[in-house]
Amino acid sequence: MQKLEMRFLGAPQVDRLGKLVEVDTRKAIALLAYLAVTGETHTRDALATLLWPDLDQSRSRAALRRTLSTLKHAVGEAYLDIEREFIRFSFRTGVWLDVTEFQNYLEETYTHGHTHDEVCPLCLPPLNAAVVLYRDDFLAGFTLRDSANFDDWQFFQSENLRRRLAAALERLAHGYAAQHEFERAIEHAQRWLALDELHEPAHRQLMQIYALAGQRNAALRQYRECVRILAEELDVSPLEETVQLYEAIRDNRIQGHIQPIIANKTVDSGHLTTIFEEPASKDRHILVGRTNEWATLLEVYDSLDSQGHLVVIEGEAGIGRTRLAEEFLAYVGAQGAVAIAAKCYEGESDLSYGPVVEALRVAVNQSAHSDWRANVAPHWLAEVARLLPEIVELSPDLPQVSSLEGPGAQTRLYEAIAQFILALCVGPLPGVFFIDDLHWADTASLDLLTYLVRRSRRHPILFLGTWRSGEVAVNHRLNQLLRDAQRAGKATLISLPRLGVSDVEDLVGSLYLESVPEGLAERLYQESEGLPFFVVEYLSALSKQEPPLDGLTWSLPGSVRDLLYSRLSEVSETGWQLLTTAAVIGRSFGFEILRAVSGRSEEETIASLEALVDQGLVRDIREQGDENELTYDFSHEKLREFVYEETSLARRRLLHRRVAENLIHRARITRDAGLQSVQIAHHYQLAGEDQSAAKYYELAGEQARNIYANSDALSHFRTALALGHPDLVALHAAIGDIQTLLGEYDSAIRSYETAAAVGDQSMLPSLERKLGVVHHRLGEWKPAESHFQSALAALEGSGDDRQRSMIYADWSLTAHSSGQAAKSQELGQKALHLAETILDQRALAQAHNLLGILARGQGDLEQAKQHLAKSLQLAEQLDDPWVRVAALNNLALVRGQDNEMDVAIRTVETALSLCASLGDRHREAALHNNLADLYHATGQAEESMLHLRKAVMIYAEIGEQAGSWQPEIWKLSEW
């Protein structure tokens, strides 16, 4: 008999020593389930926030203590490891958890030498054991009405486990059918279908098994039931594949020995063999020469189980990356999967989260009939609304969100987007998140993609991306992301080669079925050099020639430019006007903005667009965009580039100005001028209106800085400065702030000095202080002191004791670092006295942090802990992440010195996570270094070396930017 049995698959049930455990509160059951199922160590604050989000910290922690007491009494203290700040469930001997057992049985089937979706005779016993354990959905009937975070966690646990149950039932039905045990196969197929009666593959499987079992009438009834359910629930007809299976059964073309096809597998004498699935498109010729790549895509997708996977399709311009990806999306969509797709555009690489916003907006409009709002917790939706303001209109009762400058804000934003994407992708099969042309992605979007790929361990979702090989260097962060994911077994690279002669011959043969003109394929290969885009375009041009081709008496266009000219030669005057306008917009374009900017009437625009679509120059992508607005794109990027180049400079400038004005008008309506500002600035700049462009680049910089896209912000501010923005002081100071965070200290000094030179007296104290801080980071103690003295002198008579206190604190730290113990104490006390006099919490937090450093330097660890604990408390009250990072780091150093190693390590890890989100590179390196020292002291050599390497890499980057060897850069440990 197990000492403690926990059943969470179904209504929660806990037995101890064979007797049912009665727990007084639902929160205790929730806490037990969360600790046991996650199997991780959690902080008290995290658990308190999870279960009592509406209470303040002290009340929520008190509630947690009471709940822990209840839980210890119910299940016994032996199963809960409770420390001062951390809590975990202890899986001692005698613990049995149905969720773990369910997953273990499934994992056992993956050790039999085949892919995860295949089944062999050895798989059947553990699969049977697993599905027997699944009494009902995870924590069925159990909710916490006042804890959206817990409900959110419970929902995704339930979805994941339910998805794994469906896969197990499918495999069981498949396996028993292969062994001709049809009654058992039917039983499992019916249970699979009961999970989602709208899932056509389950209907088809049951039909096939009925037919194989000789129950033809039952198979036909199952088809009619499928038709009825789809008509009533979705108002759609069955897929062609389902109809074809029905017709085969109806006409007795399925015999008892026929192989049952399930998904994309076929059963043959008890063994499963992968069969090739044809692409969904009718344009089959576009996948000529791509058989291996197509098979790889299917293999990766079919093997998705409990975690995500990244697939990158790489190749040169015109190689067919996008077309292959689009065919795959069409294929999985036809199978019932949900796909979210977006595209990056040249010229928009400085638009923070541009493709992500586009993807989410498209998905929301596509999913208007779905229940994604019910599947995403309100607090996550509120975070997503920062990037997608229309969510507030769809869900007006969302809670208020904290400032983006708060601790962990970037992580909250990223996790919210992750939860939103997962909810949008809910379906019978794993979802696909596709971003085209990643080589043009902005920095912020790449940061988010990295987070999504690394955090997709528990969610079967395919991240699909394409990039142009010539645009992604070996050391590019995209390649780094790919390599990291490959090492973890979570990524696949598909490199597309050019077509060979035989591929071009096959392509020509697919178009000229009756007689292929002699020499056409070889000549076509020579002219195109095997680049698929050019091959298809040449064939399109040749197919329209009169008389029909009968040899090599014709001449092909001499260059791609000539070819594109020939494609555009029949465009009408209105059509050309629309094409030039669309090329200036520079991306997929909506009907309304195209009409407004071009100046054509609605009737003219519609007629010309229809003609352009018929000519293959523009494609209609309405199914991917806003259902309330027609959306189009060029059939190929090279076509857009050619049209843009052929437009006169005067015409381009006029159109760019009109686009900017239209975007401003739209931004005023949607109230998202910040997100539109980069596009507006870009178009004003190309219109030659530098002053307007500078204004919007500054706005874009502030927007990027608010969401931690520091590199993007720096670029925007610099561009605003270059275009003649009038507020030189603010821009140079903002640039200096970001350069300081990035460790570009020489550049930061120049920026601050420039701001001081062009600014008035009121700005000097702040700028002098910032200069002192930068020199301190460089270990240049004398210049740092000089700037702090100048800052105080500039404040003389101002009465600004708050700023004086903070300058004294900074100066005290410099004196401490340079070995002036007495002076550092004197300055530190001045800082504290001023802060206490004016009762300024920010100044008090910094003063206590400084005095904690000084106390540690004197060996008074208890005094140091008191000061730093006070600083940390004030920082948390202020929601000030900068002081919080400093206090956490310094407190960890004290605890390490006092041999509290485990607590010290966890404290530094918290500081490191927060610091990384803020983007302070130098302090991030220092935290890695401090963590390496702590791991080394505890004998964890591998972890120590990992963090040491990260620290050295960042230190080296900062030292290289400084331009000379400056050892003090490497010595930063406290601040």
Side-chain angles (χ1 to χ4, degrees):
M1 179 183 295
Q2 302 290 344
K3 295 180 180 178
L4 184 66
E5 294 185 3
M6 295 175 289
R7 293 179 176 84
F8 297 137
L9 292 172
Q13 179 180 326
V14 181
D15 293 335
R16 182 184 179 192
L17 299 175
K19 296 182 178 180
L20 182 66
V21 173
E22 297 290 345
V23 182
D24 294 340
T25 68
R26 298 175 68 82
K27 292 291 176 71
I29 289 293
L31 179 60
L32 179 62
Y34 187 72
L35 292 173
V37 173
T38 62
E40 300 172 355
T41 300
H42 301 279
T43 66
R44 285 180 180 264
D45 284 344
L47 293 173
T49 301
L50 174 74
L51 297 175
W52 295 274
D54 296 332
L55 301 182
D56 58 35
Q57 186 182 44
S58 61
R59 293 170 62 198
S60 63
R61 285 178 68 107
L64 177 63
R65 286 194 298 272
R66 292 191 295 270
T67 302
L68 281 172
S69 176
T70 299
L71 196 55
K72 284 192 298 183
H73 178 74
V75 303
E77 293 189 24
Y79 300 107
L80 295 170
D81 288 343
I82 301 175
E83 301 177 13
R84 182 176 179 181
E85 290 296 329
F86 300 92
I87 302 169
R88 70 180 66 83
F89 184 86
S90 177
F91 284 91
R92 303 178 188 275
T93 304
V95 174
W96 185 90
L97 174 62
D98 60 352
V99 174
T100 302
E101 292 297 308
F102 173 78
Q103 294 173 329
N104 288 343
Y105 280 129
L106 297 183
E107 293 297 326
E108 181 182 337
T109 69
Y110 304 151
T111 64
H112 299 161
H114 52 68
T115 60
H116 290 187
D117 56 349
E118 295 178 338
V119 60
C120 67
L122 294 177
C123 293
L124 298 180
L127 286 172
N128 268 311
V131 301
V132 167
L133 279 177
Y134 201 106
R135 296 178 295 127
D136 201 341
D137 288 339
F138 180 67
L139 296 179
F142 182 89
T143 59
L144 293 182
R145 296 181 180 178
D146 58 346
S147 177
N149 288 346
F150 180 84
D151 286 346
D152 183 51
W153 172 78
Q154 179 184 338
F155 169 77
F156 284 106
Q157 288 290 327
S158 179
E159 283 295 300
N160 181 53
L161 291 167
R162 187 181 176 89
R163 193 179 296 115
R164 300 198 73 181
L165 172 66
L169 291 169
E170 178 185 12
R171 295 172 69 197
L172 280 168
H174 199 169
Y176 282 121
Q179 295 186 352
H180 300 280
E181 297 185 42
F182 296 119
E183 288 188 10
R184 301 193 70 176
I186 289 170
E187 174 189 343
H188 292 300
Q190 287 175 333
R191 187 177 175 187
W192 179 33
L193 180 59
L195 293 176
D196 181 5
E197 61 180 9
L198 298 176
H199 191 41
E200 280 193 64
H203 282 283
R204 287 198 298 272
Q205 184 190 53
L206 193 50
M207 290 165 61
Q208 293 171 71
I209 296 173
Y210 278 137
L212 288 169
Q215 302 181 40
R216 176 176 174 274
N217 289 338
L220 296 177
R221 284 196 302 271
Q222 189 61 46
Y223 172 74
R224 297 187 186 103
E225 180 68 7
C226 175
V227 173
R228 181 189 66 79
I229 291 172
L230 293 176
E232 290 180 355
E233 298 295 330
L234 301 178
D235 194 25
V236 298
S237 301
L239 295 172
E240 183 64 25
E241 185 178 354
T242 308
V243 175
Q244 290 176 358
L245 175 61
Y246 159 71
E247 292 172 348
I249 296 172
R250 181 196 61 194
D251 299 339
N252 290 313
R253 288 187 280 113
I254 289 186
Q255 304 298 324
H257 64 274
I258 199 167
Q259 300 168 347
I261 299 172
I262 299 172
N264 64 330
K265 303 293 175 185
T266 180
V267 178
D268 184 9
S269 302
H271 296 83
L272 292 173
T273 307
T274 301
I275 63 172
F276 183 78
E277 290 282 0
E278 287 293 327
S281 172
K282 296 180 180 179
D283 276 329
R284 303 293 169 84
H285 67 270
I286 66 172
L287 290 183
V288 167
R290 299 289 181 245
T291 303
N292 293 336
E293 292 80 5
W294 179 257
T296 299
L297 274 172
L298 293 184
E299 180 180 355
V300 171
Y301 184 75
D302 291 342
S303 66
L304 288 178
D305 184 20
S306 60
Q307 61 178 351
H309 198 90
L310 171 67
V311 173
V312 173
I313 303 176
E314 176 190 63
E316 64 184 303
I319 202 69
R321 305 179 311 274
T322 302
R323 294 306 298 272
L324 177 61
E326 288 176 344
E327 285 298 312
F328 175 73
L329 294 184
Y331 168 75
V332 298
Q335 308 304 308
V338 176
I340 299 177
K343 181 178 178 63
C344 305
Y345 294 88
E346 186 177 17
E348 293 186 6
S349 59
D350 53 0
L351 176 58
S352 300
Y353 300 108
V356 176
V357 172
E358 176 193 5
L360 296 183
R361 182 164 287 136
V362 167
V364 166
N365 287 319
Q366 278 185 317
S367 308
H369 61 281
S370 72
D371 57 350
W372 57 264
R373 273 169 280 184
N375 294 337
V376 184
H379 66 282
W380 292 135
L381 286 178
E383 288 287 339
V384 176
R386 297 184 193 273
L387 300 183
L388 211 63
E390 55 262 47
I391 285 182
V392 177
E393 298 178 7
L394 297 172
S395 300
D397 297 328
L398 294 178
Q400 293 293 321
V401 292
S402 59
S403 168
L404 277 170
E405 297 180 357
Q410 185 183 44
T411 302
R412 289 199 303 272
L413 177 63
Y414 285 1
E415 183 60 22
I417 296 172
Q419 297 291 347
F420 193 59
I421 290 172
L422 289 171
L424 289 169
C425 285
V426 168
L429 294 174
V432 180
F433 186 75
F434 170 54
I435 302 183
D436 198 15
D437 289 337
L438 275 168
H439 51 276
W440 285 327
D442 61 282
T443 302
S445 292
L446 294 180
D447 289 341
L448 175 60
L449 179 61
T450 300
Y451 178 92
L452 293 173
V453 171
R454 290 177 178 171
R455 296 300 177 92
S456 62
R457 297 175 183 174
R458 299 184 180 180
H459 304 286
I461 183 172
L462 183 69
F463 296 99
L464 179 62
T466 70
W467 69 54
R468 188 181 296 175
S469 51
E471 300 284 344
V472 181
V474 174
N475 60 350
H476 193 284
R477 61 178 306 174
L478 283 170
N479 266 320
Q480 182 61 50
L481 169 61
L482 176 63
R483 287 192 294 267
D484 290 346
Q486 284 176 321
R487 282 194 291 269
K490 294 174 57 179
T492 300
L493 175 64
I494 298 177
S495 297
L496 298 184
R498 290 193 176 190
L499 300 179
V501 175
S502 61
D503 296 323
V504 176
E505 288 175 348
D506 290 342
L507 190 54
V508 172
S510 70
L511 295 180
Y512 293 86
L513 299 179
E514 297 181 358
S515 61
V516 178
E518 184 179 356
L520 172 62
E522 183 178 353
R523 175 70 181 276
L524 187 56
Y525 177 76
Q526 292 173 352
E527 293 288 341
S528 66
E529 297 182 354
L531 197 62
F533 170 68
F534 296 153
V535 173
V536 173
E537 292 301 313
Y538 271 91
L539 283 172
S540 177
L542 290 171
S543 66
K544 299 175 182 178
Q545 289 193 16
E546 297 290 340
L549 297 171
D550 57 359
L552 290 176
T553 58
W554 46 271
S555 60
L556 289 169
S559 67
V560 176
R561 189 174 186 83
D562 293 336
L563 173 62
L564 295 174
Y565 240 141
S566 68
R567 291 288 309 276
L568 295 166
S569 61
E570 296 181 2
V571 174
S572 67
E573 180 179 348
T574 303
W576 184 257
Q577 187 175 355
L578 293 180
L579 282 178
T580 57
T581 303
V584 165
I585 293 172
R587 51 169 300 147
S588 59
F589 48 94
F591 175 84
E592 287 300 327
I593 190 172
L594 181 70
R595 181 198 58 76
V597 175
S598 68
R600 309 304 301 192
S601 67
E602 182 172 340
E603 292 76 14
E604 289 175 316
T605 305
I606 292 174
S608 295
L609 273 174
E610 289 176 346
L612 293 172
V613 170
D614 291 340
Q615 291 169 306
L617 301 174
V618 167
R619 57 194 178 102
D620 184 342
I621 56 173
R622 281 176 293 183
E623 70 278 9
Q624 300 178 20
D626 189 335
E627 63 183 8
N628 297 318
E629 181 177 9
L630 306 180
T631 309
Y632 301 86
D633 203 351
F634 283 89
S635 58
H636 197 281
E637 177 63 16
K638 286 189 175 297
L639 193 59
R640 190 201 67 80
E641 293 173 0
F642 176 78
V643 172
Y644 187 84
E645 292 170 2
E646 288 296 305
T647 306
S648 69
L649 177 60
R651 176 70 178 167
R652 290 204 301 258
R653 287 191 168 186
L654 172 65
L655 292 173
H656 278 299
R657 178 174 59 79
R658 287 183 178 177
V659 172
E661 291 169 350
N662 186 271
L663 289 173
I664 292 171
H665 175 70
R666 289 177 168 229
R668 287 171 180 162
I669 296 174
T670 60
R671 297 182 181 179
D672 62 348
L675 297 176
Q676 297 271 4
S677 54
V678 172
Q679 292 175 269
I680 296 169
H682 173 72
H683 285 291
Y684 267 135
Q685 184 179 8
L686 293 177
E689 298 190 16
D690 291 351
Q691 289 297 315
S692 297
K695 169 187 171 183
Y696 280 96
Y697 272 122
E698 182 201 26
L699 181 60
E702 290 297 341
Q703 174 71 16
R705 184 158 65 163
N706 286 340
I707 53 179
Y708 309 108
N710 291 333
S711 296
D712 292 343
L714 184 60
S715 174
H716 298 330
F717 286 141
R718 282 173 169 165
T719 305
L721 200 59
L723 292 173
H725 195 287
D727 195 349
L728 299 179
V729 179
L731 279 175
H732 281 296
I735 290 171
D737 291 345
I738 297 173
Q739 289 167 332
T740 301
L741 293 178
L742 297 175
E744 300 174 7
Y745 293 139
D746 286 351
S747 299
I749 290 171
R750 287 195 296 271
S751 296
Y752 289 141
E753 293 285 10
T754 303
V758 299
D760 57 29
Q761 184 69 23
S762 65
M763 294 294 296
L764 279 181
S766 172
L767 292 169
E768 290 286 358
R769 182 190 171 206
K770 290 179 178 183
L771 283 165
V773 169
V774 175
H775 282 290
H776 175 92
R777 287 187 177 219
L778 288 167
E780 298 171 349
W781 316 126
K782 290 295 183 183
E785 285 192 6
S786 176
H787 283 293
F788 292 139
Q789 289 172 329
S790 297
L792 288 169
L795 280 172
E796 195 68 32
S798 67
D800 190 348
D801 287 343
R802 178 179 187 271
Q803 194 167 181
R804 288 176 62 211
S805 171
M806 299 171 79
I807 295 169
Y808 275 127
D810 290 334
W811 187 1
S812 175
L813 181 60
T814 298
H816 168 72
S817 300
S818 59
Q820 304 175 64
K823 187 172 185 178
S824 64
Q825 280 290 339
E826 175 189 353
L827 294 169
Q829 290 299 327
K830 285 185 177 180
L832 181 62
H833 174 71
L834 285 170
E836 289 177 335
T837 300
I838 60 175
L839 296 176
D840 184 274
Q841 286 191 306
R842 177 68 176 78
L844 279 169
Q846 185 177 1
H848 281 292
N849 177 65
L850 182 277
L851 291 172
I853 294 174
L854 300 183
R856 172 175 172 262
Q858 295 173 348
D860 190 346
L861 301 186
E862 287 305 315
Q863 185 72 14
K865 287 180 183 179
Q866 292 177 21
H867 280 298
L868 293 171
K870 181 64 174 177
S871 178
L872 183 58
Q873 179 188 14
L874 289 168
E876 289 173 344
Q877 291 174 357
L878 290 166
D879 202 17
D880 188 324
W882 306 100
V883 178
R884 185 164 180 251
V885 167
L888 286 168
N889 173 66
N890 297 327
L891 194 56
L893 294 176
V894 174
R895 286 170 171 167
Q897 193 171 333
D898 206 20
N899 290 320
E900 299 174 29
M901 293 300 181
D902 289 343
V903 178
I905 287 173
R906 289 194 292 268
T907 305
V908 175
E909 288 175 339
T910 301
L912 180 58
S913 175
L914 179 55
C915 188
S917 72
L918 297 173
D920 192 327
R921 298 286 286 157
H922 197 170
R923 290 176 177 174
E924 182 183 350
L927 288 164
H928 277 297
N929 196 48
N930 291 345
L931 196 52
D933 289 342
L934 290 169
Y935 275 125
H936 178 74
T938 56
Q940 301 180 65
E942 184 175 346
E943 289 290 336
S944 176
M945 286 303 300
L946 173 66
H947 286 283
L948 183 59
R949 282 194 292 268
K950 291 181 179 179
V952 169
M953 180 184 71
I954 300 174
Y955 281 140
E957 290 175 0
I958 295 171
E960 182 179 357
Q961 291 168 353
S964 61
W965 172 254
Q966 293 173 286
E968 293 301 330
I969 288 176
W970 297 70
K971 296 179 182 179
L972 178 67
S973 62
E974 55 188 4
W975 57 88

